[in-house]
């Protein structure tokens, strides 16, 4: 199976490394970062592209744009992992539409296009007979979308409650357990590749709110936008608030909640007992889904990180290969 990889930051490099080191039967025929690109229909040298990126900051030739790659390379699946833009969804939305119109399948970790235009993109994919998959947009390595769409098919979800942002969880854990300041903990999360390109998306609760919109629209059959989510972040939390919670054997976590029955979507820091199942450490995410038939199920796993997000992207790719791509 041949893929084009757009986005060569933390997530893109994680995918490239996984394809380079594991025998997955995947060839990368083009890749691009925001300032350069490379196309080779016989398969690019992934090791060389990774090394070039490390040394120069560019994965390819500065005369080749991401759109050149998506519009001209030979491939079966576009992997779109450029940074999220929640206002316009661009340039990812245009990359995705171009690939779909060329009859290519799409796998993305990019939350912007899925939160803003899921129905349009899915309709375009159906018209063109291709598949659009987006497991990596929510909760990193946890196969939550797949589990809810397939494993819990037929259930009615009465409530979803969870820790959906690894960066905030990492910051809160480091502040309460190691006594780091908010700024120190945020700097660490950025250095470790957990935070968004614009980390205000993380700390202001926007990233968690986007994930709720994606879950609402793609899994729970609601029709929500970011404006429908009541959102409060962790950026104004003081160390005193964490200390006070600690004195009561509680801690603070940024919690996202959907109650489908009354259409409520909200994200806010909440004080919860330390023994609560949603009190997870570091970049872990945890999501409890309440359903009519399966009862209550909690998913816990790594919600952010290069390899962890690559895990979700690769799983989407292999599922497309097994269902749609012949001869690979
Ligand atoms: N910045 C996001 C997080 C990455 O920290 O959860 C995964 O979506």
């Amino acid at each position: 199976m041949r893929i084009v990889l757009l986005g060569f930051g933390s997530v893109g490099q994680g995918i490239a490394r996984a394809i380079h080191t594991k025998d997955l039967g995947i060839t990368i025929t083009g890749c691009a970062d925001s300032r350069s690109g490379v196309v080779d229909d016989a398969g690019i040298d992934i090791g060389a592209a990774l090394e070039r990126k490390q040394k120069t900051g560019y994965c390819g030739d500065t005369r080749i744009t991401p759109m050149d790659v998506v519009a001209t390379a030979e491939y079966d699946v576009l992997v779109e992992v450029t940074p999220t833009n929640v206002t316009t969804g661009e340039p990812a939305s245009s990359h995705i539409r171009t690939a779909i119109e060329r009859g290519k399948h799409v796998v993305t970790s990019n939350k912007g296009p899925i939160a803003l235009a899921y129905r349009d993109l899915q309709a375009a994919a159906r018209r063109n007979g291709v598949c659009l998959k987006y497991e990596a947009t929510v909760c990193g390595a946890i196969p939550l979308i797949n589990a809810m769409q397939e494993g819990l098919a037929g259930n009615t979800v009465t409530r979803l409650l969870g820790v959906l942002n690894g960066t905030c969880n990492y910051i809160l854990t480091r502040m309460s357990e190691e006594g780091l300041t908010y700024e120190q903990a945020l700097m660490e999360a950025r250095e470790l590749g957990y935070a968004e390109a614009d980390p205000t998306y993380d700390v202001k609760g926007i990233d968690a709110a986007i994930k709720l919109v994606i879950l609402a629209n793609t899994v729970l059959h609601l029709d929500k936008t970011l404006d429908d989510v009541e959102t409060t972040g962790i950026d104004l939390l003081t160390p005193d608030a964490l200390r006070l919670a600690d004195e009561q054997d509680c801690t603070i976590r940024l919690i996202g909640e959907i109650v489908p029955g009354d259409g409520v979507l909200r994200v806010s820091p909440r004080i919860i007992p330390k023994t609560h199942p949603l009190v997870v450490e570091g970049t872990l995410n945890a999501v409890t889904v309440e359903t009519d038939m399966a009862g209550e199920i909690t998913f816990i796993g790594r919600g952010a990180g290069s390899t962890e997000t690559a895990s979700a992207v690769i799983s989407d790719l292999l599922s497309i290969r097994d269902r749609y791509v012949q001869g690979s």
Side-chain angles (χ1 to χ4, degrees):
M1 180 167 68
R2 297 160 307 168
I3 70 162
V4 146
L5 177 59
L6 293 194
F8 216 73
S10 167
V11 174
Q13 289 176 52
I15 296 163
R17 268 194 304 273
I19 290 171
H20 192 46
T21 54
K22 293 167 81 89
D23 184 15
L24 299 171
I26 297 172
T27 303
I28 304 181
T29 56
C31 72
D33 52 37
S34 58
R35 296 173 301 171
S36 70
V38 53
V39 175
D40 183 343
D41 291 340
I44 66 163
D45 182 339
I46 303 174
L50 284 164
E51 203 180 312
R52 205 160 43 239
K53 182 73 183 176
Q54 288 300 322
K55 283 195 181 143
T56 67
Y58 300 96
C59 72
D61 183 329
T62 53
R63 289 167 299 184
I64 299 176
T65 68
M67 193 49 106
D68 292 337
V69 177
V70 81
T72 63
E74 289 297 325
Y75 58 99
D76 302 299
V77 189
L78 166 68
V79 176
E80 218 303 335
V81 297
T82 64
T84 292
N85 177 324
V86 78
T87 315
T88 64
E90 294 296 354
S93 286
S94 296
H95 298 151
I96 292 173
R97 286 183 202 280
T98 302
I100 288 174
E101 276 155 23
R102 288 191 68 200
K104 314 298 185 191
H105 305 286
V106 174
V107 172
T108 187
S109 66
N110 196 313
K111 289 161 270 208
I114 303 299
L116 292 169
Y118 172 69
R119 283 190 170 77
D120 275 3
L121 293 173
Q122 201 59 278
R126 265 196 299 274
R127 273 198 310 277
N128 287 277
V130 295
C131 185
L132 167 67
K133 291 185 75 81
Y134 44 85
E135 180 64 69
T137 57
V138 179
C139 290
I142 305 175
L144 182 66
I145 289 173
N146 195 46
M148 291 188 70
Q149 286 177 336
E150 299 198 12
L152 293 173
N155 277 268
T156 299
V157 174
T158 48
R159 191 164 177 242
L160 180 148
L161 198 65
V163 169
L164 299 160
N165 182 270
T167 299
C168 287
N169 211 62
Y170 182 86
I171 292 171
L172 293 172
T173 307
R174 297 289 281 157
M175 283 175 74
S176 65
E177 287 180 9
E178 310 294 334
L180 261 62
T181 64
Y182 168 83
E183 288 77 15
Q184 286 169 327
L186 173 58
M187 195 187 301
E188 275 189 6
R190 294 190 74 179
E191 281 168 8
L192 292 165
Y194 303 140
E196 296 299 297
D198 176 355
T200 59
Y201 281 9
D202 295 289
V203 297
K204 288 190 176 296
I206 299 165
D207 178 78
I210 297 171
K211 289 166 177 162
L212 285 187
V213 170
I214 292 174
L215 289 172
N217 294 349
T218 69
V219 173
L220 301 174
H221 314 295
L222 301 173
D223 189 9
K224 298 291 179 185
T225 70
L226 205 49
D227 287 341
D228 296 319
V229 191
E230 296 163 25
T231 308
T232 311
I234 64 159
D235 50 328
L236 301 177
L237 266 187
T238 61
D240 278 349
L242 281 161
R243 228 181 346 263
L244 282 172
D246 189 58
E247 281 167 19
Q248 298 162 49
D249 277 335
C250 289
T251 190
I252 297 177
R253 288 292 182 263
L254 185 72
I255 303 289
E257 179 176 23
I258 305 177
V259 184
D262 58 17
V264 166
L265 277 72
R266 63 168 77 91
V267 173
S268 59
R270 296 197 201 176
I271 299 174
I272 45 180
K274 285 181 179 168
T275 51
H276 192 284
L278 294 183
V279 178
V280 289
E281 307 289 302
T283 57
L284 288 176
N285 282 185
V287 178
T288 297
V289 185
E290 294 173 10
T291 70
D292 59 345
M293 294 194 290
E296 191 177 298
I297 296 189
T298 298
F299 301 87
I300 296 177
R302 293 188 190 171
S306 171
T307 314
E308 292 81 353
T309 311
S311 164
V313 169
I314 299 278
S315 124
D316 277 348
L317 278 173
L318 296 185
S319 118
I320 289 176
R321 183 193 64 189
D322 294 347
R323 285 190 211 171
Y324 303 97
V325 181
Q326 305 298 320
S328 51

Coordinates of all heavy atoms in Angstrom, one line a residue, residues 78-129:
L78 N -4.0 9.1 1.7 CA -3.4 10.3 2.2 C -3.4 10.3 3.7 O -4.5 10.0 4.3 CB -4.2 11.6 1.8 CG -3.8 12.9 2.6 CD1 -2.4 13.3 2.3 CD2 -4.8 14.0 2.3
V79 N -2.2 10.5 4.4 CA -2.2 10.5 5.8 C -1.9 12.0 6.1 O -0.9 12.6 5.8 CB -1.1 9.7 6.4 CG1 -0.9 9.9 7.9 CG2 -1.3 8.2 6.1
E80 N -2.9 12.7 6.7 CA -2.9 14.1 7.0 C -2.7 14.4 8.5 O -3.6 14.2 9.3 CB -4.2 14.8 6.5 CG -4.2 16.1 5.9 CD -3.5 17.2 6.7 OE1 -3.5 17.2 7.9 OE2 -3.0 18.2 6.1
V81 N -1.5 14.8 8.8 CA -1.2 15.0 10.3 C -0.5 16.3 10.5 O 0.4 16.5 11.3 CB -0.3 13.8 10.8 CG1 -1.1 12.5 10.8 CG2 1.0 13.7 10.1
T82 N -1.0 17.3 9.7 CA -0.5 18.7 9.9 C -1.1 19.3 11.2 O -2.1 18.7 11.7 CB -0.8 19.6 8.7 OG1 -2.2 19.7 8.5 CG2 -0.1 19.0 7.4
P83 N -0.6 20.4 11.7 CA -1.2 20.9 12.9 C -2.7 21.4 12.7 O -3.1 21.8 11.7 CB -0.3 22.2 13.2 CG 0.9 21.9 12.5 CD 0.6 21.2 11.3
T84 N -3.4 21.2 13.8 CA -4.9 21.6 13.8 C -5.1 23.1 13.7 O -4.5 23.8 14.5 CB -5.5 21.0 15.1 OG1 -5.5 19.6 15.0 CG2 -7.0 21.5 15.2
N85 N -6.0 23.5 12.8 CA -6.5 24.9 12.9 C -8.0 24.8 13.1 O -8.7 24.3 12.2 CB -6.2 25.6 11.5 CG -6.7 27.0 11.5 OD1 -7.8 27.2 12.0 ND2 -6.0 27.9 10.8
V86 N -8.4 25.3 14.2 CA -9.8 25.0 14.6 C -10.8 26.1 14.0 O -12.0 26.0 14.1 CB -9.9 24.9 16.1 CG1 -9.9 26.2 16.8 CG2 -11.2 24.1 16.5
T87 N -10.2 27.2 13.5 CA -11.0 28.2 12.9 C -11.4 27.9 11.5 O -12.6 28.0 11.1 CB -10.3 29.6 13.0 OG1 -9.7 29.7 14.2 CG2 -11.2 30.7 12.7
T88 N -10.4 27.5 10.7 CA -10.7 27.3 9.2 C -10.6 25.8 8.8 O -11.1 25.4 7.8 CB -9.7 28.0 8.4 OG1 -8.4 27.5 8.6 CG2 -9.8 29.5 8.7
G89 N -9.9 25.0 9.7 CA -9.6 23.6 9.3 C -8.5 23.6 8.2 O -8.1 22.5 7.8
E90 N -8.0 24.7 7.8 CA -7.0 24.7 6.7 C -5.5 24.7 7.2 O -5.3 25.1 8.3 CB -7.2 26.0 5.8 CG -8.5 26.0 5.1 CD -8.7 24.9 4.0 OE1 -7.7 24.1 3.8 OE2 -9.8 24.7 3.5
P91 N -4.6 24.2 6.4 CA -4.7 23.8 5.0 C -5.2 22.3 4.9 O -5.4 21.8 3.8 CB -3.3 23.9 4.5 CG -2.4 23.7 5.6 CD -3.1 24.2 6.8
A92 N -5.4 21.7 6.1 CA -5.7 20.2 6.1 C -7.0 19.9 5.3 O -7.0 19.0 4.5 CB -5.8 19.7 7.5
S93 N -8.1 20.8 5.4 CA -9.3 20.5 4.7 C -9.1 20.4 3.2 O -9.6 19.5 2.6 CB -10.4 21.5 5.1 OG -10.9 21.3 6.4
S94 N -8.3 21.4 2.7 CA -8.1 21.4 1.2 C -7.3 20.2 0.8 O -7.5 19.6 -0.2 CB -7.3 22.6 0.8 OG -8.2 23.8 1.1
H95 N -6.3 19.8 1.6 CA -5.5 18.6 1.3 C -6.4 17.4 1.2 O -6.4 16.6 0.3 CB -4.4 18.3 2.4 CG -3.4 19.4 2.6 ND1 -2.8 19.6 3.8 CD2 -2.9 20.3 1.7 CE1 -1.9 20.6 3.6 NE2 -2.0 21.0 2.4
I96 N -7.3 17.3 2.2 CA -8.2 16.1 2.3 C -9.2 16.1 1.2 O -9.4 15.0 0.5 CB -8.9 16.1 3.7 CG1 -7.9 15.8 4.8 CG2 -10.1 15.1 3.7 CD1 -8.5 15.9 6.2
R97 N -9.8 17.2 0.9 CA -10.7 17.3 -0.3 C -10.0 16.9 -1.6 O -10.6 16.2 -2.4 CB -11.4 18.7 -0.4 CG -12.4 18.9 0.7 CD -13.0 20.3 0.5 NE -13.6 20.8 1.8 CZ -14.8 20.4 2.3 NH1 -15.5 19.5 1.6 NH2 -15.2 20.8 3.4
T98 N -8.8 17.4 -1.8 CA -8.1 17.1 -3.0 C -7.8 15.7 -3.2 O -8.1 15.1 -4.2 CB -6.8 17.9 -3.1 OG1 -7.1 19.3 -2.9 CG2 -6.0 17.7 -4.3
A99 N -7.4 15.0 -2.1 CA -7.1 13.6 -2.1 C -8.4 12.8 -2.4 O -8.4 11.9 -3.3 CB -6.5 13.1 -0.8
I100 N -9.5 13.2 -1.7 CA -10.8 12.5 -1.9 C -11.2 12.6 -3.4 O -11.6 11.6 -4.0 CB -11.9 13.0 -1.0 CG1 -11.6 12.5 0.5 CG2 -13.3 12.5 -1.4 CD1 -12.5 13.1 1.5
E101 N -11.1 13.8 -3.9 CA -11.5 14.0 -5.3 C -10.6 13.2 -6.3 O -11.1 12.9 -7.4 CB -11.6 15.5 -5.7 CG -12.9 16.1 -5.2 CD -12.8 17.6 -5.0 OE1 -11.9 18.2 -5.5 OE2 -13.6 18.1 -4.2
R102 N -9.4 12.9 -5.9 CA -8.5 12.1 -6.7 C -8.8 10.6 -6.5 O -8.1 9.7 -7.0 CB -7.1 12.3 -6.4 CG -6.5 13.7 -6.9 CD -5.0 13.8 -6.8 NE -4.4 12.9 -7.7 CZ -3.1 12.4 -7.6 NH1 -2.3 12.8 -6.6 NH2 -2.6 11.6 -8.5
G103 N -9.8 10.3 -5.6 CA -10.2 8.9 -5.4 C -9.2 8.2 -4.4 O -9.0 7.0 -4.4
K104 N -8.6 9.0 -3.5 CA -7.7 8.4 -2.5 C -8.4 8.3 -1.1 O -9.1 9.2 -0.8 CB -6.5 9.3 -2.3 CG -5.8 9.8 -3.6 CD -5.3 8.6 -4.5 CE -4.6 9.1 -5.7 NZ -4.3 8.0 -6.7
H105 N -8.1 7.3 -0.4 CA -8.6 7.2 1.0 C -7.8 8.2 1.8 O -6.7 8.6 1.4 CB -8.3 5.8 1.5 CG -8.9 4.6 0.7 ND1 -10.2 4.3 0.7 CD2 -8.3 3.8 -0.1 CE1 -10.4 3.3 -0.1 NE2 -9.2 2.9 -0.6
V106 N -8.4 8.5 3.0 CA -7.7 9.5 3.9 C -7.8 9.0 5.3 O -8.8 8.5 5.8 CB -8.5 10.9 3.8 CG1 -7.9 11.8 4.8 CG2 -8.4 11.5 2.4
V107 N -6.6 9.1 6.0 CA -6.5 8.9 7.4 C -5.9 10.2 8.0 O -4.9 10.7 7.5 CB -5.5 7.7 7.7 CG1 -5.2 7.6 9.2 CG2 -6.1 6.4 7.2
T108 N -6.6 10.7 9.1 CA -6.1 11.9 9.6 C -6.0 11.9 11.2 O -6.9 11.2 11.8 CB -6.9 13.1 9.1 OG1 -6.3 14.3 9.6 CG2 -8.3 13.1 9.6
S109 N -5.1 12.7 11.7 CA -5.1 12.9 13.2 C -5.5 14.4 13.4 O -5.5 14.9 14.5 CB -3.7 12.7 13.7 OG -2.8 13.7 13.2
N110 N -5.8 15.1 12.3 CA -6.1 16.5 12.3 C -7.5 16.8 12.8 O -8.5 16.5 12.0 CB -5.8 17.1 10.9 CG -5.7 18.6 11.0 OD1 -6.5 19.3 11.7 ND2 -4.6 19.1 10.4
K111 N -7.6 17.4 13.9 CA -9.0 17.6 14.5 C -9.8 18.6 13.8 O -11.0 18.6 13.8 CB -8.8 17.9 16.0 CG -8.3 16.8 16.8 CD -7.7 17.2 18.1 CE -6.3 17.4 18.0 NZ -5.5 17.2 19.2
G112 N -9.1 19.7 13.2 CA -9.9 20.8 12.6 C -10.9 20.3 11.6 O -12.1 20.6 11.7
P113 N -10.5 19.6 10.5 CA -11.4 19.3 9.5 C -12.5 18.4 10.0 O -13.7 18.5 9.6 CB -10.6 18.5 8.4 CG -9.2 18.9 8.7 CD -9.1 19.3 10.1
I114 N -12.2 17.5 10.9 CA -13.2 16.5 11.4 C -14.2 17.3 12.3 O -15.4 17.0 12.2 CB -12.6 15.3 12.1 CG1 -11.6 14.6 11.2 CG2 -13.6 14.3 12.6 CD1 -12.2 14.0 10.0
A115 N -13.7 18.2 13.1 CA -14.7 18.9 14.0 C -15.5 19.9 13.2 O -16.7 20.2 13.5 CB -13.9 19.7 15.1
L116 N -14.9 20.5 12.1 CA -15.6 21.5 11.4 C -16.5 21.0 10.3 O -17.5 21.6 9.9 CB -14.6 22.6 10.8 CG -13.9 23.4 11.8 CD1 -12.7 24.1 11.1 CD2 -14.8 24.4 12.5
A117 N -16.1 19.9 9.6 CA -16.7 19.6 8.4 C -16.9 18.1 8.2 O -16.8 17.5 7.1 CB -15.9 20.1 7.2
Y118 N -17.1 17.4 9.3 CA -17.2 15.9 9.2 C -18.2 15.4 8.2 O -17.9 14.6 7.3 CB -17.5 15.3 10.6 CG -17.8 13.8 10.6 CD1 -16.7 12.9 10.3 CD2 -19.0 13.3 10.8 CE1 -17.0 11.6 10.2 CE2 -19.3 12.0 10.7 CZ -18.3 11.1 10.4 OH -18.5 9.8 10.3
R119 N -19.4 16.0 8.3 CA -20.5 15.4 7.4 C -20.2 15.7 5.9 O -20.3 14.8 5.1 CB -21.8 16.1 7.8 CG -22.4 15.4 9.0 CD -23.8 15.8 9.3 NE -24.3 14.9 10.4 CZ -24.0 15.0 11.7 NH1 -23.2 16.0 12.1 NH2 -24.4 14.2 12.6
D120 N -19.7 16.9 5.6 CA -19.3 17.2 4.2 C -18.2 16.3 3.7 O -18.3 15.8 2.6 CB -18.7 18.6 4.1 CG -19.8 19.6 4.0 OD1 -21.0 19.3 4.1 OD2 -19.4 20.8 3.9
L121 N -17.2 16.1 4.5 CA -16.1 15.3 4.1 C -16.5 13.8 3.9 O -16.1 13.2 3.0 CB -14.9 15.4 5.1 CG -14.2 16.8 5.2 CD1 -13.2 16.8 6.3 CD2 -13.6 17.1 3.8
Q122 N -17.3 13.3 4.9 CA -17.7 11.9 4.8 C -18.6 11.8 3.5 O -18.5 10.7 2.8 CB -18.5 11.6 6.1 CG -18.6 10.2 6.4 CD -17.3 9.4 6.6 OE1 -16.7 9.0 5.6 NE2 -16.9 9.3 7.8
A123 N -19.4 12.8 3.2 CA -20.3 12.7 2.0 C -19.4 12.7 0.8 O -19.6 11.9 -0.2 CB -21.3 13.8 2.0
A124 N -18.4 13.5 0.8 CA -17.5 13.5 -0.4 C -16.7 12.2 -0.5 O -16.6 11.7 -1.7 CB -16.5 14.7 -0.2
A125 N -16.3 11.6 0.6 CA -15.6 10.3 0.6 C -16.6 9.3 0.0 O -16.2 8.5 -0.9 CB -15.2 10.0 1.9
R126 N -17.8 9.3 0.4 CA -18.8 8.3 -0.1 C -19.0 8.5 -1.6 O -19.0 7.5 -2.3 CB -20.1 8.4 0.7 CG -20.2 7.4 1.8 CD -21.7 7.3 2.3 NE -22.2 8.6 2.8 CZ -22.0 9.1 4.0 NH1 -21.4 8.4 4.9 NH2 -22.5 10.2 4.3
R127 N -19.2 9.7 -2.0 CA -19.4 10.0 -3.5 C -18.2 9.4 -4.3 O -18.4 9.0 -5.4 CB -19.5 11.5 -3.7 CG -20.9 12.1 -3.6 CD -21.0 13.4 -4.2 NE -19.9 14.4 -3.9 CZ -19.9 15.1 -2.8 NH1 -20.9 15.1 -1.9 NH2 -18.9 16.0 -2.6
N128 N -17.0 9.5 -3.7 CA -15.9 9.1 -4.5 C -15.4 7.7 -4.2 O -14.4 7.2 -4.7 CB -14.7 10.1 -4.2 CG -14.9 11.4 -4.9 OD1 -14.6 11.6 -6.1 ND2 -15.5 12.4 -4.2
G129 N -16.2 7.0 -3.4 CA -16.0 5.6 -3.1 C -14.7 5.3 -2.3 O -14.0 4.3 -2.5

